[in-house]
């Protein structure tokens, strides 16, 4: 049996330490506010496209936090944007954040905008991405926990639109 030199021992220890370090580091890119600006430019005129890109970013696990931040950015500019409000409500319900979901759905219920049109917009995106069944199931579970009739009505409209678009595809 051959004895290793000090240099060889240090090289082996260094290689093992480097390997362990690469396994321990996070696998995601750290969130940076500038990345959201690059993904969804400030001057972008098409708000619906910004909401759609944010939703798809979350659904496809590409950059979920950036997608959420983009949708929130729409709400910061226009607190009455029903599509963005419902999108955040749906994501909150799916992720088990019932309090946040309730807040978003209640604010949507106070909106003067057309809930059916906003629900249709979301359903189209979810259906085209193949997520409508999963989202409808999660929202159905959310309804069982709810007690606000206006919120339940809004969530049921979204579920119905999801089922309609799922059947069309």
């Amino acid at each position: 049996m051959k004895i290793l030199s000090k240099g060889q021992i240090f090289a082996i220890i260094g290689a093992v330490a480097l390997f362990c370090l690469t396994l321990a580091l996070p696998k995601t890119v750290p969130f940076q506010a500038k990345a959201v600006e690059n993904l969804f430019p400030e001057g972008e005129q098409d708000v619906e496209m910004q909401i759609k890109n944010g939703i798809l970013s979350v659904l496809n696990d590409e950059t979920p936090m950036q997608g959420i931040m983009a949708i929130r950015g729409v709400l910061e500019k226009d607190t009455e944007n029903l599509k963005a409000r419902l999108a955040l409500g749906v994501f909150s319900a799916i992720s088990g954040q019932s309090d946040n979901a309730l807040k978003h759905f209640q604010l949507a219920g106070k909106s003067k905008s057309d809930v059916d049109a906003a629900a249709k917009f979301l359903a189209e995106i979810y259906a085209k991405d193949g997520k409508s069944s999963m989202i409808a199931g999660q929202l159905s579970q959310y309804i069982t926990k709810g007690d606000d009739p206006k919120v339940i009505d809004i969530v049921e409209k979204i579920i119905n639109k999801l089922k309609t678009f799922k059947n069309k595809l």
Side-chain angles (χ1 to χ4, degrees):
M1 183 163 139
K2 186 177 177 183
I3 299 177
L4 300 174
S5 70
K6 285 184 181 180
Q8 291 172 326
I9 292 173
F10 282 117
I12 292 171
I13 291 172
V16 170
L18 183 61
F19 177 74
C20 292
L21 185 61
T22 58
L23 290 177
L25 289 175
K27 301 291 185 226
T28 58
V29 178
F31 176 74
Q32 296 175 358
K34 295 249 183 223
V36 173
E37 291 173 12
N38 293 338
L39 189 59
F40 307 102
E42 180 91 18
E44 188 173 330
Q45 296 297 316
D46 193 358
V47 174
E48 284 189 2
M49 184 57 99
Q50 187 173 348
I51 296 168
K52 180 180 178 181
N53 288 341
I55 291 170
L56 292 174
S57 180
V58 173
L59 290 178
N60 295 322
D61 291 328
E62 292 170 2
T63 50
M65 199 59 215
Q66 289 177 353
I68 295 289
M69 295 305 290
I71 297 169
R72 282 185 183 168
V74 170
L75 283 177
E76 285 176 9
K77 294 175 189 167
D78 177 13
T79 58
E80 295 293 316
N81 189 303
L82 188 59
K83 294 171 183 174
R85 181 71 61 201
L86 290 179
L88 289 178
V90 168
F91 288 140
S92 295
I94 289 171
S95 65
Q97 299 174 20
S98 299
D99 293 340
N100 284 340
L102 180 63
K103 178 186 85 170
H104 288 297
F105 290 135
Q106 285 175 334
L107 288 170
K110 294 176 184 176
S111 174
K112 294 177 178 88
S113 300
D114 182 14
V115 173
D116 284 331
K120 179 183 176 190
F121 171 78
L122 294 178
E124 285 181 39
I125 296 170
Y126 299 141
K128 287 179 184 173
D129 201 52
K131 307 283 187 191
S132 56
S133 295
M134 181 270 297
I135 291 173
Q138 292 288 332
L139 290 177
S140 295
Q141 289 178 0
Y142 175 77
I143 285 179
T144 62
K145 300 173 189 171
D147 57 356
D148 185 337
K150 205 169 200 178
V151 168
I152 291 172
D153 182 54
I154 290 171
V155 175
E156 284 176 341
K157 285 181 181 181
I158 296 171
I159 292 170
N160 290 336
K161 294 292 182 187
L162 285 168
K163 290 178 181 175
T164 301
F165 275 96
K166 181 184 172 198
N167 292 336
K168 285 184 179 180
L169 295 179

